[in-house]
Amino acid sequence: NANCWELTFAWQEDDDDDDDNEREDVKLLPGGHIKLHVQQQGEEVGCSRSYTPIAFDPVARRLTLAIKLYDTGEMSQLLQKELINNNNNDVDGETKKLSFEMSGPFGDIAYEPDQIVVHGNEYSSSDGLVLIAGGTGITPFLSVLRDESKPLTTSVTVVYLAKSADEVLYETELQELCDKAHGKLIVMAPPTSRETIVEEVVQHLPSPTQRVTCVLCGPPGMEETLKQGLTKQGYGNILLSTQTALQPSVAPKTTQHWLFQQVPKLNWLLLVSAAILPLLAIAINFGVPSSWPHQEAFSSGALGFAGSRQFQIVGFGEVDENGEKVSRYAYRLLNPTAIQYASPWVGYAIHQTLTLFVLYRAFQQQPKYSTKFRDFNWHMLYVQLFGVLLKYVQQILFYNGLSETLPLGFGTGTVFLFLVVVMIMYIPVRGLFFGYGQHWKWTQECATFFRLYHGFFIGIFIVNDFWYHPFESTIGHLAGIFNDALLLGQMVLMYTPFHLNKYWCLLMETFVIFHAALIALNRDTPGAVGAFGFAFWFVFIVTQMHGMGWSKLFRWFLGLMFVTTILLVYGLRVQGEEYGFKAMVMEVFLRIPVLEYLTIFFILGYYILVKKLTACLKPPSVQRGMIITLILIGTAICFLPLLAIFMI
């Protein structure tokens, strides 16, 4: 472009920097700025402008700036006189040289693969990163897209506003970089009306969620108009690339790499509370933990414990009229009364209603993520503590859970569907099969939908699971109580950065591996470890460990450890003579994993169908309401195969 120059500057070393080992370590974050000050010799006042280098080499101490020239621009006039016209003589014929000074780097915006960090505050971009530029405001985004040290793992949308084709800079390279990142580049002329600019830009953007972050860079008027307009459209995370340009650059805080970096006191409180819950389950039985394995449930007069009281339960010896063993939940009362049937349903209805109510009130506010606990966090904490207390009281008085009336597959199915929802949410981050599928565009909208509304789905599944089981003190029940406690705590942490911590989320998602293994061992039926423990471990290897930022070597190591363990267990028939390689194929690969992935594809396809069927509904809120209703119906349909397969 004739009106844009690329100027390369080299900065000098200080006199005391002769030793290379003592050189100052100059770092520039992608998208960061420097300040260029130009002054004519003999003049008291110079000209200063902030620029984003399009190339930066701290070793060679060189950087390249893209500077647009304006006919009336002060900086433009100075540079043209120095570099083109060589007209740097005053009227007396004396030479006036230009002096150049640079300061910086500046800028506190750190672009991570699926989020942006500013002063330790995280802005998730896992549903989409939107970069909107005007004129030379494209240069910060160009440096971000060029950066290969931390490649973006989210979908990127670059909107470039330029008055004419001549004003577009680096279009070919931008298109190549966007294609490489599986993103899209939209070049458009800014509308003459400020009222229409937002409407035209929004047409090209992903739907607004708390995991979509927009970054603006351009003329102040453009930035302010878009910021106000995008806020009205529901986009909560809006940053200005230049807003911290004059602030000293600092390294971002490590908010994602340690468990208690955000809201530390409350995180400790919640985790300790979750750890105490299983101990309370033993304490409530007055120190009467069940034996290992749980022989009380296998005896002819099977017993369940609730405080100092003992209840006769069905146990694992239930048979039908023909004397065949019945595959039903063992921890049900043998002869329940009407009030015992109803008691868990009353408690569940209260707990579930209050949970969804607080979730909806928080969702209505569409708050930004913050390290501060707000009213809805405290309200959710009170609701969950009340729900736990209510469950304990109901346990002491009546013992049983929803399992009294709901089939065995229902309890397992709620956890199964929780995992399905989470896996769909994370498709843009980790794909489905060994990282593959991350950029399937046909899955993006459904993934965004579940990211936006996942709290309601997971809230239903987990509270239901919490009330499904009695608070027995078997090792399997204790592990389940602990897992449910973590997930109830996760709801308390909504709209806080810790809610998005990838290690914390992975813990809750994969704890089912240990839970399933402990249940099987506690029943003295180790063969079931293959059906549950190994099966969920297989899903971890195929899907869940990807997108964590782990090296390929480390993931290969985890995969090799899984393969070695499963071959040893099934090859040596550790679980019994009937558990050989045939059982491995049937139990580990063809039961839970296949059903899980089939359910995911069913829901993805079902969402596309529902979206097309509801496309004619207006306004958008009505369409969203109908989509949610139909998705809930579709999710309920998924229970049918779950009920069958988990009862086999």
Side-chain angles (χ1 to χ4, degrees):
N1 189 307
N3 294 324
C4 183
W5 292 353
E6 288 188 0
L7 302 181
T8 299
F9 295 87
W11 66 89
Q12 297 178 348
E13 299 179 14
D14 294 336
D15 294 337
D16 56 354
D17 281 351
D18 295 334
D19 187 350
D20 288 342
N21 295 325
E22 297 181 358
R23 280 189 172 188
E24 180 185 3
D25 187 14
V26 181
K27 295 182 179 179
L28 177 72
L29 295 173
H33 300 73
I34 61 93
K35 189 174 183 181
L36 179 65
H37 181 80
V38 180
Q39 185 172 350
Q40 278 189 331
Q41 186 179 3
E43 298 289 338
E44 294 184 0
V45 180
C47 178
S48 298
R49 296 288 186 271
S50 294
Y51 296 99
T52 298
I54 59 172
F56 186 81
D57 187 347
V59 177
R61 299 198 169 219
R62 292 177 179 272
L63 59 81
T64 301
L65 306 178
I67 300 178
K68 188 175 181 180
L69 301 178
Y70 297 92
D71 293 337
T72 57
E74 183 179 2
M75 181 68 77
S76 300
Q77 294 298 316
L78 289 173
L79 293 175
Q80 287 190 56
K81 288 179 180 179
E82 172 73 11
L83 302 174
I84 293 183
N85 299 328
N86 199 27
N87 185 18
N88 47 19
N89 292 334
D90 66 5
V91 293
D92 297 326
E94 297 179 357
T95 300
K96 288 188 175 181
K97 293 291 185 182
L98 293 181
S99 63
F100 295 89
E101 293 183 2
M102 287 183 293
S103 57
F106 302 110
D108 295 321
I109 298 182
Y111 292 82
E112 301 292 332
D114 61 352
Q115 67 178 353
I116 293 177
V117 182
V118 183
H119 294 298
N121 296 318
E122 297 173 344
Y123 300 86
S124 175
S125 59
S126 55
D127 283 351
L129 175 62
V130 177
L131 308 174
I132 305 178
T136 53
I138 196 64
T139 53
F141 304 146
L142 182 65
S143 65
V144 170
L145 293 171
R146 283 176 172 176
D147 182 38
E148 296 183 354
S149 62
K150 293 183 179 179
L152 302 175
T153 60
T154 185
S155 60
V156 182
T157 302
V158 180
V159 179
Y160 193 173
L161 301 175
K163 295 180 180 179
S164 65
D166 294 337
E167 300 287 327
V168 179
L169 306 176
Y170 309 104
E171 182 176 9
T172 301
E173 184 181 3
L174 283 170
Q175 187 63 64
E176 292 175 353
L177 291 171
C178 287
D179 291 342
K180 183 178 179 181
H182 299 276
K184 59 181 179 179
L185 171 66
I186 293 94
V187 179
M188 56 186 295
T192 55
S193 170
R194 288 194 173 187
E195 288 72 21
T196 60
I197 183 173
V198 177
E199 295 179 5
E200 295 192 21
V201 168
V202 166
Q203 294 178 7
H204 305 284
L205 306 187
S207 301
T209 74
Q210 283 298 324
R211 292 180 174 85
V212 172
T213 295
C214 304
V215 187
L216 315 178
C217 188
M222 182 208 83
E223 290 182 342
E224 186 60 29
T225 299
L226 286 171
K227 183 178 180 181
Q228 294 179 3
L230 291 173
T231 301
K232 292 180 180 178
Q233 292 288 334
Y235 293 89
N237 300 333
I238 304 175
L239 304 173
L240 303 182
S241 178
T242 56
Q243 64 184 359
T244 55
L246 301 182
Q247 301 297 324
S249 180
V250 297
K253 298 179 181 179
T254 56
T255 54
Q256 282 286 353
H257 301 295
W258 181 240
L259 195 59
F260 305 114
Q261 204 65 40
Q262 301 293 335
V263 208
K265 292 182 180 179
L266 287 168
N267 284 336
W268 275 109
L269 173 64
L270 287 169
L271 192 61
V272 170
S273 299
I276 289 175
L277 275 175
L279 299 179
L280 289 177
I282 295 178
I284 204 171
N285 291 332
F286 290 89
V288 188
S290 64
S291 60
W292 177 281
H294 192 206
Q295 299 295 344
E296 294 91 345
F298 284 92
S299 61
S300 56
L303 295 176
F305 301 97
S308 59
R309 306 178 66 190
Q310 295 181 356
F311 293 82
Q312 276 197 311
I313 61 175
V314 173
F316 291 98
E318 185 180 11
V319 296
D320 60 17
E321 297 176 353
N322 300 320
E324 298 290 334
K325 186 176 179 181
V326 177
S327 180
R328 293 192 64 190
Y329 191 64
Y331 297 91
R332 293 178 290 114
L333 292 171
L334 187 60
N335 296 300
T337 63
I339 191 170
Q340 286 174 323
Y341 267 117
S343 64
W345 284 102
V346 173
Y348 166 68
I350 295 172
H351 190 184
Q352 186 74 87
T353 301
L354 291 175
T355 297
L356 293 177
F357 176 75
V358 176
L359 279 172
Y360 179 71
R361 291 296 300 270
F363 182 81
Q364 276 187 315
Q365 298 179 32
Q366 288 291 299
K368 292 184 177 181
Y369 280 71
S370 172
T371 57
K372 296 181 180 179
F373 254 45
R374 290 158 287 186
D375 287 345
F376 51 78
N377 297 110
W378 290 111
H379 293 161
M380 185 61 80
L381 178 61
Y382 302 148
V383 165
Q384 299 313 321
L385 291 176
F386 172 73
V388 171
L389 178 62
L390 192 62
K391 173 65 175 173
Y392 275 127
V393 172
Q394 186 270 335
Q395 169 82 11
I396 294 176
L397 296 178
F398 305 108
Y399 175 79
N400 61 344
L402 299 181
S403 53
E404 199 69 61
T405 50
L406 295 176
L408 176 61
F410 208 97
T412 312
T414 51
V415 177
F416 182 89
L417 289 176
F418 152 69
L419 295 173
V420 166
V421 168
V422 173
M423 289 175 70
I424 293 175
M425 285 167 48
Y426 280 112
I427 288 177
V429 177
R430 64 191 184 193
L432 273 180
F433 304 106
F434 305 102
Y436 181 72
Q438 184 178 350
H439 301 295
W440 287 345
K441 292 185 178 180
W442 63 278
T443 67
Q444 301 294 317
E445 195 170 348
C446 184
T448 300
F449 170 83
F450 277 108
R451 281 189 178 274
L452 186 60
Y453 299 106
H454 74 278
F456 299 100
F457 288 93
I458 294 176
I460 292 173
F461 298 150
I462 298 308
V463 175
N464 182 280
D465 184 69
F466 183 69
W467 282 86
Y468 184 86
H469 306 274
F471 276 175
E472 272 282 3
S473 53
T474 72
I475 192 66
H477 281 87
L478 295 178
I481 294 169
F482 180 77
N483 199 11
D484 282 342
L486 293 179
L487 289 161
L488 295 178
Q490 174 74 334
M491 287 192 282
V492 174
L493 291 167
M494 59 182 168
Y495 296 111
T496 67
F498 191 74
H499 184 84
L500 304 176
N501 185 288
K502 57 186 179 182
Y503 300 108
W504 167 258
C505 293
L506 186 67
L507 170 66
M508 291 180 291
E509 191 181 1
T510 58
F511 193 82
V512 66
I513 299 173
F514 309 102
H515 182 201
L518 289 173
I519 289 175
L521 293 172
N522 193 56
R523 291 180 184 175
D524 199 22
T525 53
V529 176
F532 292 97
F534 274 122
F536 285 118
W537 190 4
F538 176 71
V539 174
F540 169 76
I541 295 298
V542 173
T543 301
Q544 293 166 340
M545 72 174 181
H546 305 280
M548 293 295 296
W550 294 338
S551 67
K552 187 175 293 186
L553 180 62
F554 182 63
R555 283 178 286 158
W556 271 101
F557 169 74
L558 293 177
L560 182 62
M561 185 169 64
F562 168 76
V563 172
T564 303
T565 305
I566 197 171
L567 289 178
L568 286 174
V569 169
Y570 284 91
L572 299 177
R573 298 180 183 269
V574 173
Q575 301 177 106
E577 281 301 316
E578 69 273 27
Y579 290 101
F581 286 115
K582 182 178 179 181
M584 178 185 73
V585 173
M586 294 298 297
E587 301 291 344
V588 176
F589 301 118
L590 297 184
R591 196 177 190 188
I592 291 177
V594 169
L595 181 60
E596 191 154 16
Y597 290 112
L598 286 177
T599 303
I600 289 172
F601 282 109
F602 169 79
I603 292 179
L604 288 170
Y606 183 75
Y607 176 85
I608 294 173
L609 176 63
V610 168
K611 189 70 187 297
K612 290 182 177 180
L613 292 177
T614 59
C616 60
L617 296 178
K618 302 294 181 182
S621 58
V622 175
Q623 183 191 22
R624 285 195 297 269
M626 182 58 70
I627 290 175
I628 293 173
T629 302
L630 293 176
I631 290 295
L632 282 172
I633 294 173
T635 306
I637 293 173
C638 293
F639 265 110
L640 298 177
L642 296 179
L643 292 177
I645 199 163
F646 286 122
M647 293 176 66
I648 295 176

